[in-house]
Amino acid sequence: MTINYQYKNVQSPTKITLSDEKTAGHADHWRILTDDMSHDVPQWLQQMIEHAALPKGLNGNASAKDSCLLLSEDQPCHINQVLAMKDGKPERFINAYPCVDGPYGLTCKIERMVVNDNSHDAVLRLRSTDGSIVYAFDQLYTANRYLYQQNTTYFVNFSAWAHEITLSEQNEVIMVEDKEAIRYHRAFNDIVAANDGQVPDDLQEQIKDWQPTTKEQMEPVEINLGHMCAYLFGDTLGQEDEAWCQGQVLGKQETLFNRKSVILFDVVILREQDTDPFVVRMGAMSTAGTKAIQVNDYIQANIWLQAAIYKENQATNKQT
């Protein structure tokens, strides 16, 4: 599929278009932040105009010829607002949604976009270099929509709003009694420990040669499921960005969103051998429950996962 417009010869990723009726909208996302959407959201949108910025995305300069304008704010938690343009002036409101800036990310290819062209809502299907599939709402679709290319790698920054975030269940435990599984588990831990926490290149060969030195090493292994990292995306077309995850808190800080206290958690939700960890900065309203969560705790959360792709974060893009 070739997009012509002002950007020529760009082979875009596969695009699926949704109607307004099949697009979820952002009411549930605003409810994360306020119980009075009809009052607060219009007020926030008006206030942001006074200090709005133009996010550039993959383009070095925002185009004055574009039919739409994306406005943002230079805050950790902020609003992105989409306006229709005519003769270089804003004509009407199109859409707005709350965003979290995420400093962490993965190198990915865009495999598919599910898009509402009226509202400029887009959910990207992304495949990381290690093969993980991630779905995320595109914060910068309005700015980047003509620039994405097939089979091109991008560094994608990830962030999220948490609908709900709690400590993980610590009593979910399974016992591994299979002898070969026990042997593999003990061998892996011993070998990595002997290499100062690094996985050696000949790991599999060393595991084959490993032998237990005590009877206790071959006893059943207890695995706490509450100490696992996991990510499950949504199963409804166009809403795959609504995800469930479990992971470990690596960082915690407080910030403000329109005078409301927000806690930002840096959470690793996928952490596998020989792959880059998938770390997401999650915004959650400051409550007694979120304040109790500490660094190194394991959490479970229902999140709205977001992606942002900026030119300044890219190495030289490669097509394969």
Side-chain angles (χ1 to χ4, degrees), residues 227 229 247-248 250 268-273 275-278 298:
H227 287 177
C229 297
Q248 187 176 25
L250 305 180
V268 55
I269 62 175
L270 285 179
R271 183 166 49 191
E272 301 292 343
Q273 177 185 334
T275 65
D276 292 332
F278 184 18
Y298 280 81

Side-chain angles (χ1 to χ4, degrees), residues 104-135:
Y104 312 104
L106 298 172
T107 300
C108 303
K109 291 181 181 179
I110 303 172
E111 290 194 333
R112 190 187 75 187
M113 306 182 294
V114 178
V115 176
N116 181 316
D117 286 321
N118 295 326
S119 64
H120 287 227
D121 286 322
V123 175
L124 306 181
R125 174 186 165 99
L126 302 152
R127 183 183 293 272
S128 70
T129 52
D130 58 54
S132 298
I133 299 296
V134 179
Y135 288 88

